[in-house]
Amino acid sequence: MAANDAQKLKRVFESAVKAGRFSEPSLHAQLEHLRSLPNASKLATKLAVFLTPAEVETVQRRLVRASFLIEPVNEDVTSTKYDVRWSNRLGGDPRGASFDVCLAIHEALCHAVAEAVADAVFCEELKLVLAWDLSPHEFPVDYESKAALPIHTVANLRILRDADYLRLLKIRRSLLDPKLNPDRKLFQNLFGKILVKSYLTDRAQTGDFKTNREKRWEAHPQSPQFALRRDCFAVELELVDQLFRFQHFPPGVVHYLRGTGVPIVAGKVARCPVTLDPLDFEVLAQEVADPVHGKAAYQVGHLNPLKAGAGAEFRHHRQNISWITADGNRIQGHLTLKETRKLLLRISANYEALLKTGEISPP
């Protein structure tokens, strides 16, 4: 790309993020020159074979979003705001990247997707993403590692091709497609509870990495709230898989999913990790059907709080996430699961000892 054309394109992005309200469709309309570059043009031609024009545009917009843009939290830590990766506010930040690097990333991702669509399985994945995306700007592109400094580089980005992610997309379709599931409204509400916890950061107003509802893969990579996109997908899948093991989960749904070829992992009844009470799908279904503000019998929480340590067990990933009862959540507070269970055992031992001596009365 000629230097003059590159500068014009750079100004288009800068104007878009400075607008009072960012408009992705408006930005897309101004990026015809970007789409004429070799790899972007080749990708559009290949996508047009099996996607509608609207679907092709969605792919193009999401590749632009992944390459050039970010939504860091604002200074008040109240919300996020679109910005370009070369913004002054990202100076010295590992998430920052020059316009030229972003341009190279876009061409590299276009090339990677164009190569991947030769695989029928990837084409199926792409169609499902476009039809049943639920996370912000969802697209199967991810960082190779959060340890790379800077993180936003050509070498550190890759197309995600994962069997578990494909299974997640098929589960979404089966549970949310009105043609397939008459109870789709219930599952729409359930996914609403799952998605925020899976993909967006919690609120953190103190410490080195203040954040609030950023996309986890766009948070500062050294923040305890950061997670690779594939780990966020895995968290969503874990929470859905746990639902299938709730007491009174409709067996017909499980039977239907298996009949469509979607593997459902069988296992013991899901329990609250703190109280060990069995989790009941009928209770959860009633709660989402008739919610009471400020009350939730079942919540989603990390087994080990993200701020409690630096090891792998304190990350946002599927081994560290669970449905939890309101009682369990209150008891655990800021403690790790191990600390909580030690506390409960100490309480139980003290209670039994004092009961035997008569210092306290039975309940």
Side-chain angles (χ1 to χ4, degrees):
M1 179 183 289
N4 188 47
D5 291 333
Q7 284 301 313
K8 289 180 180 178
L9 192 57
K10 182 181 178 183
R11 287 194 292 270
V12 167
F13 279 101
E14 292 169 348
S15 296
V17 298
K18 289 176 182 176
R21 185 176 181 84
F22 176 81
S23 170
E24 193 175 287
S26 175
L27 174 61
H28 177 79
Q30 301 175 68
L31 297 181
E32 186 176 349
H33 191 72
L34 178 67
R35 295 191 293 275
S36 71
L37 295 180
N39 288 335
S41 178
K42 179 176 68 175
L43 174 61
T45 300
K46 290 193 173 186
L47 293 177
V49 174
F50 67 100
L51 298 181
T52 67
E55 289 172 331
V56 172
E57 179 179 328
T58 298
V59 173
Q60 291 169 331
R61 285 163 54 170
R62 291 187 182 173
L63 287 173
V64 165
R65 174 67 179 75
S67 302
F68 294 91
L69 302 171
I70 188 172
E71 287 178 83
V73 69
N74 60 19
E75 292 183 1
D76 296 333
V77 198
T78 55
S79 62
T80 60
K81 187 180 187 305
Y82 273 91
D83 212 337
V84 291
R85 290 277 180 171
W86 55 94
S87 167
N88 289 335
R89 66 179 299 197
L90 292 178
D93 191 301
R95 296 170 291 175
S98 69
F99 173 78
D100 288 342
V101 167
C102 293
L103 192 61
I105 287 172
H106 184 261
E107 275 288 276
L109 289 178
C110 286
H111 174 74
V113 176
E115 292 296 308
V117 296
D119 181 355
V121 174
F122 181 79
C123 291
E124 179 187 18
E125 178 181 304
L126 195 55
K127 290 283 287 184
L128 286 169
V129 171
L130 295 171
W132 302 106
D133 59 319
L134 293 179
S135 67
H137 315 287
E138 186 163 338
F139 199 78
V141 60
D142 200 10
Y143 292 116
E144 189 70 43
S145 168
K146 77 168 192 173
L149 295 175
I151 192 171
H152 198 66
T153 64
V154 171
N156 197 41
L157 279 159
R158 67 179 177 89
I159 299 300
L160 182 63
R161 303 175 70 174
D162 181 84
D164 279 343
Y165 179 50
L166 183 58
R167 183 166 75 90
L168 173 62
L169 292 169
K170 290 180 177 180
I171 290 173
R172 286 183 189 168
R173 177 185 59 188
S174 298
L175 296 181
L176 299 176
D177 190 338
K179 299 175 183 177
L180 303 176
N181 185 11
D183 293 326
R184 67 190 182 282
K185 183 64 176 178
L186 167 62
F187 287 100
Q188 284 174 347
N189 293 333
L190 288 173
F191 273 107
K193 292 177 71 74
I194 291 171
L195 296 178
V196 171
K197 195 66 177 183
S198 298
Y199 296 101
L200 303 181
T201 62
D202 302 323
R203 190 173 189 182
Q205 290 192 299
T206 59
D208 295 331
F209 306 107
K210 300 177 179 64
T211 183
N212 185 29
R213 297 296 184 247
E214 286 179 274
K215 287 69 180 168
R216 287 190 179 273
W217 54 91
E218 290 186 354
H220 194 289
Q222 294 177 3
S223 167
Q225 297 286 337
F226 177 91
L228 295 165
R229 197 191 291 247
R230 58 186 175 273
D231 285 331
C232 295
F233 289 145
V235 164
E236 181 191 343
L237 182 58
E238 174 64 22
L239 293 171
V240 174
D241 277 340
Q242 288 180 19
L243 282 181
F244 298 145
R245 296 189 289 108
F246 275 39
Q247 279 188 156
H248 303 121
F249 186 87
V253 174
V254 174
H255 179 75
Y256 166 74
L257 287 168
R258 286 177 172 157
T260 60
V262 179
I264 299 299
V265 181
K268 297 178 181 179
V269 171
R271 294 179 177 272
C272 170
V274 175
T275 67
L276 301 181
D277 291 329
L279 301 172
D280 193 316
F281 188 77
E282 290 181 352
V283 173
L284 182 59
Q286 177 60 36
E287 184 173 277
V288 299
D290 187 20
V292 177
H293 182 69
K295 291 185 177 181
Y298 296 152
Q299 300 157 22
V300 172
H302 291 102
L303 301 179
N304 298 307
L306 301 183
K307 291 184 177 181
E313 68 270 28
F314 301 101
R315 292 192 298 111
H316 182 72
H317 62 117
R318 67 183 308 164
Q319 286 79 33
N320 192 35
I321 203 78
S322 180
W323 290 95
I324 186 172
T325 61
D327 286 339
N329 198 32
R330 280 194 299 270
I331 292 168
Q332 182 174 14
H334 65 280
L335 300 176
T336 67
L337 184 60
K338 184 177 182 179
E339 290 168 341
T340 304
R341 288 176 172 171
K342 283 185 176 180
L343 173 62
L344 292 174
L345 287 171
R346 189 175 82 239
I347 293 171
S348 178
N350 289 340
Y351 177 79
E352 293 295 333
L354 293 174
L355 196 61
K356 287 178 180 179
T357 63
E359 294 182 59
I360 60 173
S361 302

